[in-house]
Amino acid sequence: MEKKITEVILCKYGELILKGTNRSTFEAQLLREVRRRAAFFGRFDVHANQSTVYVEPENEESADRIDELYAQLKKVFGFVALCKAAVSEKTLEAILETAKAYLPAKLAGVKTFKCEAKRSDKRFPLSSPELAGEAGGAILEAMPHLTVNLTEPDVVVKIEVREQYAYIHAGQDKGAGGMPIGSAGKGMLLLSGGIDSPVAGWRMMRRGMTVECVHFESFPYTSEAAREKVFELAAELAEFCGKIKVHVISLTHIQESLRDRCEEDYFTLLLRRFMMKLASRSAEENGCPALITGESLGQVASQTLKAMVVTEDAADRPVFRPLIGMDKEEIVVNAREIGTFDTSILPYDDCCTVFTPRHPRTQPELEKVLREEGRVDVDALLEEAWGTRHCVVIEQQI
Ligand code: ATP
Ligand code: MG
């Protein structure tokens, strides 16, 4: 009878290994995130050992869904690499037999390979090079069309002899990297419908931040469709963190007042200062010690150094700008990788494009901006806008 092969997922830590005494907290956060995702696909045993999270199906139905779970685990921050692997007893005979049974399907279409072995259990009688040699020989025997290429193989087959079992896999995938979600506090992301801000949020999530969003709209100058687009972007970000809150605030009266009373060249800067004030208040209310924006130095008039100094003056806490040194092209590549690009380019107006000045100031002086701001009743406008806020919680759909 053909031997039944048990396939599991191994997820390997990245930077986390370095984090000393915090490591167990990080590990717990990582396990929680893996278990949350695994629960969608059936019953899996999830445990950590030797800088690896093991995910093992507990019944046939779960085993059938391992590929779907694997795709999900590629989005978990904190892992540098992951692979699916066959489990074997820790004898040479069992390892070779498992390799011969498991690998042909995995190496279909592959021409060259290299075999590596790693023995973390030093009681195993063969050294790593000896085991690699034996396994390589067995693979060639089972799949004679393959050739060995030590420098540039199509696939690296790896045999890992670990504490309880040996694991055999045919190449690993890159993990999402970064630090586990929830390990670095909370940040309030100013989420527009553009390309940049979702990427900015994703980059902070990847450093372990829990991200909440504030979105500013301006009915009737912005549309229902524009708001839906932002919720869609938030849903795409929720793929990486499970769920995300979006606080929506209306700027309609603020924008109308600025248009009616202030010098046109300053509209955008003044609006951005209002955004910072409202975002700070929202951050305070929701326990976020930092704000996050998608600004990138020099990208538009309101993102020159001087403009950002004027804008930041209105914030009451640190403003993180993870894209500050990135070119638009790099941001676009990142947006495509995380799956937000196609939504971002849907053509709906953002409140930033309502009443845009023809000649926006690129080298504003704070004093002059404050003078312009003095022409409107800042406190009353803030209070009124604050009263329009409402919150939508967006959950990951699996
Ligand atoms: P994006 O692609 O993120 O919209 P952008 O290049 O269009 O960026 P701006 O419109 O100047 O730049 O906005 C700069 C940043 O201000 C955005 O990245 C975002 O963080 C924030 N922002 C802009 N508009 C809004 C909005 N309507 N609601 C919330 N935040 C916004
Ligand atoms: Mg924008």
Side-chain angles (χ1 to χ4, degrees):
M1 200 183 76
E2 207 175 285
K3 191 171 168 287
K4 180 102 188 74
I5 296 171
T6 310
E7 196 177 40
V8 300
I9 300 173
L10 306 182
C11 312
K12 305 186 182 182
Y13 303 173
E15 268 177 66
L16 203 89
I17 299 171
L18 308 171
K19 303 294 180 202
T21 49
N22 283 332
R23 182 180 159 137
S24 61
T25 320
F26 290 155
E27 203 161 62
Q29 282 155 336
L30 210 42
L31 286 172
R32 195 178 324 126
E33 182 58 10
V34 173
R35 289 194 179 113
R36 182 184 74 75
R37 290 177 195 252
F40 287 101
F41 302 103
R43 290 179 60 86
F44 292 85
D45 178 56
V46 178
H47 63 271
N49 192 10
Q50 294 182 325
S51 300
T52 301
V53 170
Y54 294 71
V55 185
E56 304 178 3
E58 292 189 320
N59 54 35
E60 294 267 332
E61 294 81 58
S62 311
D64 286 344
R65 301 196 70 186
I66 200 164
D67 287 346
E68 290 169 81
L69 176 56
Y70 189 67
Q72 276 295 319
L73 296 182
K74 284 189 191 166
K75 295 180 189 160
V76 175
F77 297 126
F79 294 132
V80 276
L82 55 167
C83 64
K84 280 179 284 172
V87 186
S88 166
E89 294 297 332
K90 281 168 39 172
T91 64
L92 178 62
E93 196 188 9
I95 291 172
L96 298 185
E97 195 185 319
T98 308
K100 283 199 249 179
Y102 179 66
L103 291 171
K106 301 284 162 190
L107 298 179
V110 168
K111 293 199 177 70
T112 60
F113 79 106
K114 160 171 133 172
C115 193
E116 286 178 358
K118 194 172 144 205
R119 182 183 61 142
S120 39
D121 176 1
K122 301 295 177 204
R123 289 167 308 176
F124 187 74
L126 274 69
S127 70
S128 297
E130 282 165 354
L131 176 57
E134 290 284 347
I139 293 167
L140 282 173
E141 207 175 282
M143 289 161 272
H145 67 284
L146 290 179
T147 51
V148 173
N149 181 336
L150 296 178
T151 47
E152 263 185 299
D154 295 340
V155 171
V156 178
V157 170
K158 212 158 176 176
I159 320 282
E160 302 185 42
V161 183
R162 290 176 166 250
E163 205 167 284
Q164 257 196 310
Y165 295 103
Y167 297 87
I168 299 155
H169 59 87
Q172 56 186 22
D173 288 294
K174 219 167 156 257
M179 298 292 291
I181 213 88
S183 64
K186 242 163 78 161
M188 183 63 76
L189 168 68
L190 285 82
L191 180 64
S192 71
I195 296 170
D196 306 328
S197 47
V199 175
W202 180 84
R203 293 188 87 88
M204 296 319 297
M205 279 183 197
R206 196 161 93 118
R207 293 310 302 162
M209 266 198 151
T210 300
V211 170
E212 288 198 18
C213 307
V214 58
H215 173 66
F216 300 106
E217 60 183 17
S218 196
F219 278 117
Y221 308 106
T222 60
S223 62
E224 185 72 42
R227 180 198 279 186
E228 286 307 317
K229 171 183 169 177
V230 169
F231 291 158
E232 179 56 33
L233 287 170
E236 283 155 7
L237 288 178
E239 289 284 318
F240 296 92
C241 60
K243 82 176 166 197
I244 197 157
K245 280 187 190 168
V246 185
H247 306 274
V248 181
I249 300 179
S250 169
L251 298 183
T252 308
H253 291 147
I254 292 174
Q255 292 200 264
E256 287 173 344
S257 295
L258 294 175
R259 176 197 59 189
D260 294 344
R261 292 168 192 267
C262 305
E263 201 182 303
E264 180 187 307
D265 297 1
Y266 290 90
F267 281 177
T268 311
L269 282 168
L270 294 168
L271 180 66
R272 298 196 58 72
R273 287 178 52 85
F274 272 100
M275 285 187 183
M276 284 294 162
K277 288 179 195 218
L278 289 164
S280 297
R281 191 158 170 187
S282 191
E284 179 63 26
E285 189 177 62
N286 295 285
C288 303
L291 301 178
I292 305 165
T293 76
E295 289 161 304
S296 156
L297 188 61
Q299 195 189 76
V300 288
S302 58
Q303 291 171 29
T304 62
L305 177 55
K306 276 200 165 176
M308 282 192 280
V309 168
V310 165
T311 309
E312 180 140 350
D313 170 76
D316 72 354
R317 60 201 63 215
V319 181
F320 291 168
R321 300 178 173 88
L323 313 187
I324 196 71
M326 288 173 77
D327 287 354
K328 193 76 186 186
E329 277 168 52
E330 292 167 319
I331 300 169
V332 165
V333 169
N334 205 165
R336 285 188 199 279
E337 281 166 357
I338 65 174
T340 53
F341 183 77
D342 290 340
T343 308
S344 286
I345 59 172
L346 293 172
Y348 304 119
D349 269 345
D350 181 60
C351 65
C352 285
T353 52
V354 174
F355 315 141
T356 22
R358 282 158 293 183
H359 308 289
R361 290 285 158 150
T362 55
Q363 302 299 323
E365 296 302 334
L366 181 59
E367 217 173 284
K368 168 71 180 157
V369 175
L370 292 177
R371 221 175 309 139
E372 283 303 312
E373 198 171 83
R375 297 179 196 275
V376 295
D377 187 342
V378 175
D379 290 343
L381 285 169
L382 283 174
E383 236 12 75
E384 196 257 355
W386 185 243
T388 67
R389 78 191 184 285
H390 63 278
C391 175
V392 178
V393 180
I394 294 179
E395 303 229 18
Q396 182 186 14
Q397 303 291 325
I398 293 187

PDB file of all heavy atoms in Angstrom, residues 90-119:
ATOM      1  N   LYS A  90      12.543   9.950  11.816  1.00  0.00           N
ATOM      2  CA  LYS A  90      13.937  10.368  11.706  1.00  0.00           C
ATOM      3  C   LYS A  90      14.919   9.220  11.486  1.00  0.00           C
ATOM      4  O   LYS A  90      15.925   9.106  12.184  1.00  0.00           O
ATOM      5  CB  LYS A  90      14.319  11.136  12.980  1.00  0.00           C
ATOM      6  CG  LYS A  90      13.812  12.559  12.925  1.00  0.00           C
ATOM      7  CD  LYS A  90      13.877  13.330  14.210  1.00  0.00           C
ATOM      8  CE  LYS A  90      15.048  13.136  15.069  1.00  0.00           C
ATOM      9  NZ  LYS A  90      15.069  14.092  16.181  1.00  0.00           N
ATOM     10  N   THR A  91      14.616   8.356  10.526  1.00  0.00           N
ATOM     11  CA  THR A  91      15.623   7.365  10.123  1.00  0.00           C
ATOM     12  C   THR A  91      15.958   7.662   8.669  1.00  0.00           C
ATOM     13  O   THR A  91      15.132   8.202   7.925  1.00  0.00           O
ATOM     14  CB  THR A  91      15.079   5.927  10.199  1.00  0.00           C
ATOM     15  OG1 THR A  91      14.008   5.811   9.258  1.00  0.00           O
ATOM     16  CG2 THR A  91      14.579   5.584  11.597  1.00  0.00           C
ATOM     17  N   LEU A  92      17.178   7.284   8.269  1.00  0.00           N
ATOM     18  CA  LEU A  92      17.587   7.552   6.895  1.00  0.00           C
ATOM     19  C   LEU A  92      16.623   6.890   5.919  1.00  0.00           C
ATOM     20  O   LEU A  92      16.200   7.491   4.923  1.00  0.00           O
ATOM     21  CB  LEU A  92      19.020   7.042   6.673  1.00  0.00           C
ATOM     22  CG  LEU A  92      19.531   7.230   5.240  1.00  0.00           C
ATOM     23  CD1 LEU A  92      19.582   8.704   4.864  1.00  0.00           C
ATOM     24  CD2 LEU A  92      20.908   6.584   5.065  1.00  0.00           C
ATOM     25  N   GLU A  93      16.258   5.646   6.248  1.00  0.00           N
ATOM     26  CA  GLU A  93      15.381   4.895   5.360  1.00  0.00           C
ATOM     27  C   GLU A  93      14.044   5.612   5.151  1.00  0.00           C
ATOM     28  O   GLU A  93      13.573   5.799   4.037  1.00  0.00           O
ATOM     29  CB  GLU A  93      15.150   3.525   5.992  1.00  0.00           C
ATOM     30  CG  GLU A  93      14.582   2.517   5.039  1.00  0.00           C
ATOM     31  CD  GLU A  93      14.183   1.232   5.775  1.00  0.00           C
ATOM     32  OE1 GLU A  93      14.210   1.224   7.033  1.00  0.00           O
ATOM     33  OE2 GLU A  93      13.818   0.273   5.096  1.00  0.00           O
ATOM     34  N   ALA A  94      13.438   6.053   6.262  1.00  0.00           N
ATOM     35  CA  ALA A  94      12.134   6.740   6.176  1.00  0.00           C
ATOM     36  C   ALA A  94      12.277   8.054   5.406  1.00  0.00           C
ATOM     37  O   ALA A  94      11.426   8.411   4.595  1.00  0.00           O
ATOM     38  CB  ALA A  94      11.589   7.003   7.573  1.00  0.00           C
ATOM     39  N   ILE A  95      13.358   8.765   5.643  1.00  0.00           N
ATOM     40  CA  ILE A  95      13.560  10.054   4.964  1.00  0.00           C
ATOM     41  C   ILE A  95      13.654   9.844   3.455  1.00  0.00           C
ATOM     42  O   ILE A  95      12.999  10.538   2.667  1.00  0.00           O
ATOM     43  CB  ILE A  95      14.839  10.760   5.498  1.00  0.00           C
ATOM     44  CG1 ILE A  95      14.616  11.225   6.947  1.00  0.00           C
ATOM     45  CG2 ILE A  95      15.216  11.945   4.611  1.00  0.00           C
ATOM     46  CD1 ILE A  95      15.852  11.768   7.643  1.00  0.00           C
ATOM     47  N   LEU A  96      14.436   8.855   3.038  1.00  0.00           N
ATOM     48  CA  LEU A  96      14.604   8.629   1.594  1.00  0.00           C
ATOM     49  C   LEU A  96      13.294   8.171   0.964  1.00  0.00           C
ATOM     50  O   LEU A  96      12.924   8.615  -0.131  1.00  0.00           O
ATOM     51  CB  LEU A  96      15.712   7.597   1.345  1.00  0.00           C
ATOM     52  CG  LEU A  96      17.110   8.007   1.840  1.00  0.00           C
ATOM     53  CD1 LEU A  96      18.146   6.962   1.435  1.00  0.00           C
ATOM     54  CD2 LEU A  96      17.525   9.379   1.317  1.00  0.00           C
ATOM     55  N   GLU A  97      12.582   7.321   1.674  1.00  0.00           N
ATOM     56  CA  GLU A  97      11.310   6.827   1.149  1.00  0.00           C
ATOM     57  C   GLU A  97      10.304   7.974   1.005  1.00  0.00           C
ATOM     58  O   GLU A  97       9.625   8.106  -0.015  1.00  0.00           O
ATOM     59  CB  GLU A  97      10.767   5.773   2.131  1.00  0.00           C
ATOM     60  CG  GLU A  97       9.669   4.916   1.559  1.00  0.00           C
ATOM     61  CD  GLU A  97       9.110   3.990   2.633  1.00  0.00           C
ATOM     62  OE1 GLU A  97       9.909   3.445   3.430  1.00  0.00           O
ATOM     63  OE2 GLU A  97       7.877   3.862   2.700  1.00  0.00           O
ATOM     64  N   THR A  98      10.248   8.820   2.016  1.00  0.00           N
ATOM     65  CA  THR A  98       9.322   9.960   1.966  1.00  0.00           C
ATOM     66  C   THR A  98       9.709  10.912   0.833  1.00  0.00           C
ATOM     67  O   THR A  98       8.863  11.403   0.091  1.00  0.00           O
ATOM     68  CB  THR A  98       9.318  10.718   3.315  1.00  0.00           C
ATOM     69  OG1 THR A  98       9.092   9.775   4.351  1.00  0.00           O
ATOM     70  CG2 THR A  98       8.243  11.789   3.358  1.00  0.00           C
ATOM     71  N   ALA A  99      11.012  11.161   0.714  1.00  0.00           N
ATOM     72  CA  ALA A  99      11.482  12.072  -0.347  1.00  0.00           C
ATOM     73  C   ALA A  99      11.068  11.540  -1.712  1.00  0.00           C
ATOM     74  O   ALA A  99      10.573  12.293  -2.565  1.00  0.00           O
ATOM     75  CB  ALA A  99      13.000  12.227  -0.270  1.00  0.00           C
ATOM     76  N   LYS A 100      11.226  10.253  -1.917  1.00  0.00           N
ATOM     77  CA  LYS A 100      10.893   9.665  -3.221  1.00  0.00           C
ATOM     78  C   LYS A 100       9.393   9.724  -3.505  1.00  0.00           C
ATOM     79  O   LYS A 100       8.971   9.855  -4.645  1.00  0.00           O
ATOM     80  CB  LYS A 100      11.385   8.213  -3.278  1.00  0.00           C
ATOM     81  CG  LYS A 100      12.894   8.125  -3.512  1.00  0.00           C
ATOM     82  CD  LYS A 100      13.279   6.765  -4.017  1.00  0.00           C
ATOM     83  CE  LYS A 100      14.070   6.002  -2.982  1.00  0.00           C
ATOM     84  NZ  LYS A 100      14.483   4.676  -3.350  1.00  0.00           N
ATOM     85  N   ALA A 101       8.608   9.606  -2.461  1.00  0.00           N
ATOM     86  CA  ALA A 101       7.151   9.638  -2.655  1.00  0.00           C
ATOM     87  C   ALA A 101       6.632  11.066  -2.802  1.00  0.00           C
ATOM     88  O   ALA A 101       5.709  11.340  -3.548  1.00  0.00           O
ATOM     89  CB  ALA A 101       6.468   8.957  -1.473  1.00  0.00           C
ATOM     90  N   TYR A 102       7.248  12.009  -2.079  1.00  0.00           N
ATOM     91  CA  TYR A 102       6.705  13.373  -1.992  1.00  0.00           C
ATOM     92  C   TYR A 102       7.186  14.285  -3.113  1.00  0.00           C
ATOM     93  O   TYR A 102       6.428  15.106  -3.636  1.00  0.00           O
ATOM     94  CB  TYR A 102       7.120  13.966  -0.634  1.00  0.00           C
ATOM     95  CG  TYR A 102       6.673  15.388  -0.370  1.00  0.00           C
ATOM     96  CD1 TYR A 102       5.322  15.706  -0.243  1.00  0.00           C
ATOM     97  CD2 TYR A 102       7.610  16.416  -0.218  1.00  0.00           C
ATOM     98  CE1 TYR A 102       4.915  17.013   0.022  1.00  0.00           C
ATOM     99  CE2 TYR A 102       7.212  17.726   0.053  1.00  0.00           C
ATOM    100  CZ  TYR A 102       5.866  18.016   0.169  1.00  0.00           C
ATOM    101  OH  TYR A 102       5.454  19.298   0.433  1.00  0.00           O
ATOM    102  N   LEU A 103       8.452  14.133  -3.479  1.00  0.00           N
ATOM    103  CA  LEU A 103       9.044  15.155  -4.338  1.00  0.00           C
ATOM    104  C   LEU A 103       8.631  15.131  -5.820  1.00  0.00           C
ATOM    105  O   LEU A 103       8.567  16.201  -6.438  1.00  0.00           O
ATOM    106  CB  LEU A 103      10.574  15.120  -4.202  1.00  0.00           C
ATOM    107  CG  LEU A 103      11.075  15.593  -2.831  1.00  0.00           C
ATOM    108  CD1 LEU A 103      12.572  15.334  -2.694  1.00  0.00           C
ATOM    109  CD2 LEU A 103      10.782  17.090  -2.618  1.00  0.00           C
ATOM    110  N   PRO A 104       8.357  13.954  -6.428  1.00  0.00           N
ATOM    111  CA  PRO A 104       8.049  13.996  -7.868  1.00  0.00           C
ATOM    112  C   PRO A 104       6.966  15.010  -8.238  1.00  0.00           C
ATOM    113  O   PRO A 104       7.148  15.783  -9.180  1.00  0.00           O
ATOM    114  CB  PRO A 104       7.619  12.559  -8.181  1.00  0.00           C
ATOM    115  CG  PRO A 104       8.397  11.746  -7.205  1.00  0.00           C
ATOM    116  CD  PRO A 104       8.428  12.566  -5.944  1.00  0.00           C
ATOM    117  N   ALA A 105       5.888  15.066  -7.496  1.00  0.00           N
ATOM    118  CA  ALA A 105       4.815  16.022  -7.828  1.00  0.00           C
ATOM    119  C   ALA A 105       5.309  17.457  -7.655  1.00  0.00           C
ATOM    120  O   ALA A 105       4.928  18.363  -8.400  1.00  0.00           O
ATOM    121  CB  ALA A 105       3.603  15.774  -6.937  1.00  0.00           C
ATOM    122  N   LYS A 106       6.167  17.668  -6.661  1.00  0.00           N
ATOM    123  CA  LYS A 106       6.654  19.031  -6.382  1.00  0.00           C
ATOM    124  C   LYS A 106       7.685  19.484  -7.415  1.00  0.00           C
ATOM    125  O   LYS A 106       7.893  20.673  -7.598  1.00  0.00           O
ATOM    126  CB  LYS A 106       7.326  19.082  -4.996  1.00  0.00           C
ATOM    127  CG  LYS A 106       6.427  18.675  -3.866  1.00  0.00           C
ATOM    128  CD  LYS A 106       5.444  19.775  -3.541  1.00  0.00           C
ATOM    129  CE  LYS A 106       4.290  19.225  -2.730  1.00  0.00           C
ATOM    130  NZ  LYS A 106       3.199  20.182  -2.584  1.00  0.00           N
ATOM    131  N   LEU A 107       8.383  18.521  -8.031  1.00  0.00           N
ATOM    132  CA  LEU A 107       9.463  18.888  -8.945  1.00  0.00           C
ATOM    133  C   LEU A 107       9.065  18.730 -10.413  1.00  0.00           C
ATOM    134  O   LEU A 107       9.931  18.758 -11.294  1.00  0.00           O
ATOM    135  CB  LEU A 107      10.713  18.049  -8.637  1.00  0.00           C
ATOM    136  CG  LEU A 107      11.302  18.240  -7.231  1.00  0.00           C
ATOM    137  CD1 LEU A 107      12.525  17.358  -7.019  1.00  0.00           C
ATOM    138  CD2 LEU A 107      11.680  19.692  -6.974  1.00  0.00           C
ATOM    139  N   ALA A 108       7.761  18.616 -10.656  1.00  0.00           N
ATOM    140  CA  ALA A 108       7.303  18.494 -12.051  1.00  0.00           C
ATOM    141  C   ALA A 108       7.743  19.734 -12.827  1.00  0.00           C
ATOM    142  O   ALA A 108       7.573  20.862 -12.356  1.00  0.00           O
ATOM    143  CB  ALA A 108       5.782  18.342 -12.081  1.00  0.00           C
ATOM    144  N   GLY A 109       8.333  19.542 -13.981  1.00  0.00           N
ATOM    145  CA  GLY A 109       8.749  20.690 -14.804  1.00  0.00           C
ATOM    146  C   GLY A 109      10.107  21.255 -14.421  1.00  0.00           C
ATOM    147  O   GLY A 109      10.646  22.124 -15.090  1.00  0.00           O
ATOM    148  N   VAL A 110      10.686  20.760 -13.333  1.00  0.00           N
ATOM    149  CA  VAL A 110      11.989  21.260 -12.881  1.00  0.00           C
ATOM    150  C   VAL A 110      13.098  20.456 -13.565  1.00  0.00           C
ATOM    151  O   VAL A 110      12.959  19.251 -13.770  1.00  0.00           O
ATOM    152  CB  VAL A 110      12.078  21.108 -11.340  1.00  0.00           C
ATOM    153  CG1 VAL A 110      13.493  21.331 -10.841  1.00  0.00           C
ATOM    154  CG2 VAL A 110      11.109  22.066 -10.669  1.00  0.00           C
ATOM    155  N   LYS A 111      14.191  21.140 -13.943  1.00  0.00           N
ATOM    156  CA  LYS A 111      15.282  20.417 -14.616  1.00  0.00           C
ATOM    157  C   LYS A 111      16.480  20.171 -13.698  1.00  0.00           C
ATOM    158  O   LYS A 111      17.088  19.118 -13.716  1.00  0.00           O
ATOM    159  CB  LYS A 111      15.743  21.224 -15.838  1.00  0.00           C
ATOM    160  CG  LYS A 111      14.700  21.314 -16.953  1.00  0.00           C
ATOM    161  CD  LYS A 111      15.375  21.708 -18.264  1.00  0.00           C
ATOM    162  CE  LYS A 111      14.385  21.746 -19.416  1.00  0.00           C
ATOM    163  NZ  LYS A 111      13.441  22.874 -19.304  1.00  0.00           N
ATOM    164  N   THR A 112      16.822  21.195 -12.901  1.00  0.00           N
ATOM    165  CA  THR A 112      18.019  21.040 -12.072  1.00  0.00           C
ATOM    166  C   THR A 112      17.679  21.281 -10.602  1.00  0.00           C
ATOM    167  O   THR A 112      16.772  22.038 -10.280  1.00  0.00           O
ATOM    168  CB  THR A 112      19.110  22.057 -12.472  1.00  0.00           C
ATOM    169  OG1 THR A 112      18.575  23.372 -12.282  1.00  0.00           O
ATOM    170  CG2 THR A 112      19.525  21.890 -13.913  1.00  0.00           C
ATOM    171  N   PHE A 113      18.425  20.619  -9.745  1.00  0.00           N
ATOM    172  CA  PHE A 113      18.174  20.807  -8.308  1.00  0.00           C
ATOM    173  C   PHE A 113      19.477  20.665  -7.539  1.00  0.00           C
ATOM    174  O   PHE A 113      20.502  20.250  -8.072  1.00  0.00           O
ATOM    175  CB  PHE A 113      17.147  19.789  -7.793  1.00  0.00           C
ATOM    176  CG  PHE A 113      17.727  18.418  -7.533  1.00  0.00           C
ATOM    177  CD1 PHE A 113      17.951  17.974  -6.232  1.00  0.00           C
ATOM    178  CD2 PHE A 113      18.081  17.588  -8.593  1.00  0.00           C
ATOM    179  CE1 PHE A 113      18.515  16.731  -5.998  1.00  0.00           C
ATOM    180  CE2 PHE A 113      18.637  16.337  -8.357  1.00  0.00           C
ATOM    181  CZ  PHE A 113      18.858  15.904  -7.058  1.00  0.00           C
ATOM    182  N   LYS A 114      19.378  21.037  -6.296  1.00  0.00           N
ATOM    183  CA  LYS A 114      20.487  20.823  -5.370  1.00  0.00           C
ATOM    184  C   LYS A 114      19.857  20.359  -4.072  1.00  0.00           C
ATOM    185  O   LYS A 114      18.739  20.780  -3.744  1.00  0.00           O
ATOM    186  CB  LYS A 114      21.207  22.150  -5.194  1.00  0.00           C
ATOM    187  CG  LYS A 114      22.060  22.308  -3.974  1.00  0.00           C
ATOM    188  CD  LYS A 114      22.841  23.594  -4.124  1.00  0.00           C
ATOM    189  CE  LYS A 114      22.781  24.423  -2.878  1.00  0.00           C
ATOM    190  NZ  LYS A 114      23.672  25.569  -2.919  1.00  0.00           N
ATOM    191  N   CYS A 115      20.525  19.506  -3.354  1.00  0.00           N
ATOM    192  CA  CYS A 115      19.958  19.017  -2.100  1.00  0.00           C
ATOM    193  C   CYS A 115      20.784  19.539  -0.923  1.00  0.00           C
ATOM    194  O   CYS A 115      22.008  19.464  -0.934  1.00  0.00           O
ATOM    195  CB  CYS A 115      19.955  17.490  -2.124  1.00  0.00           C
ATOM    196  SG  CYS A 115      18.943  16.819  -0.814  1.00  0.00           S
ATOM    197  N   GLU A 116      20.100  20.114   0.042  1.00  0.00           N
ATOM    198  CA  GLU A 116      20.788  20.575   1.254  1.00  0.00           C
ATOM    199  C   GLU A 116      20.185  19.879   2.448  1.00  0.00           C
ATOM    200  O   GLU A 116      18.991  19.569   2.440  1.00  0.00           O
ATOM    201  CB  GLU A 116      20.583  22.085   1.444  1.00  0.00           C
ATOM    202  CG  GLU A 116      21.392  22.916   0.490  1.00  0.00           C
ATOM    203  CD  GLU A 116      21.131  24.415   0.670  1.00  0.00           C
ATOM    204  OE1 GLU A 116      20.295  24.778   1.519  1.00  0.00           O
ATOM    205  OE2 GLU A 116      21.769  25.195  -0.059  1.00  0.00           O
ATOM    206  N   ALA A 117      20.990  19.657   3.464  1.00  0.00           N
ATOM    207  CA  ALA A 117      20.433  19.044   4.671  1.00  0.00           C
ATOM    208  C   ALA A 117      20.854  19.881   5.863  1.00  0.00           C
ATOM    209  O   ALA A 117      21.907  20.526   5.862  1.00  0.00           O
ATOM    210  CB  ALA A 117      20.936  17.620   4.824  1.00  0.00           C
ATOM    211  N   LYS A 118      20.012  19.901   6.863  1.00  0.00           N
ATOM    212  CA  LYS A 118      20.334  20.630   8.087  1.00  0.00           C
ATOM    213  C   LYS A 118      19.911  19.756   9.256  1.00  0.00           C
ATOM    214  O   LYS A 118      18.777  19.279   9.296  1.00  0.00           O
ATOM    215  CB  LYS A 118      19.576  21.946   8.111  1.00  0.00           C
ATOM    216  CG  LYS A 118      20.081  22.891   9.148  1.00  0.00           C
ATOM    217  CD  LYS A 118      19.426  24.243   8.980  1.00  0.00           C
ATOM    218  CE  LYS A 118      19.188  24.843  10.348  1.00  0.00           C
ATOM    219  NZ  LYS A 118      18.107  25.792  10.371  1.00  0.00           N
ATOM    220  N   ARG A 119      20.849  19.548  10.152  1.00  0.00           N
ATOM    221  CA  ARG A 119      20.576  18.607  11.223  1.00  0.00           C
ATOM    222  C   ARG A 119      20.615  19.382  12.530  1.00  0.00           C
ATOM    223  O   ARG A 119      21.689  19.672  13.038  1.00  0.00           O
ATOM    224  CB  ARG A 119      21.691  17.550  11.154  1.00  0.00           C
ATOM    225  CG  ARG A 119      21.624  16.443  12.110  1.00  0.00           C
ATOM    226  CD  ARG A 119      22.848  15.559  11.934  1.00  0.00           C
ATOM    227  NE  ARG A 119      24.088  16.300  12.187  1.00  0.00           N
ATOM    228  CZ  ARG A 119      25.156  15.793  12.795  1.00  0.00           C
ATOM    229  NH1 ARG A 119      25.166  14.540  13.194  1.00  0.00           N
ATOM    230  NH2 ARG A 119      26.225  16.522  12.998  1.00  0.00           N
TER     231      ARG A 119
END
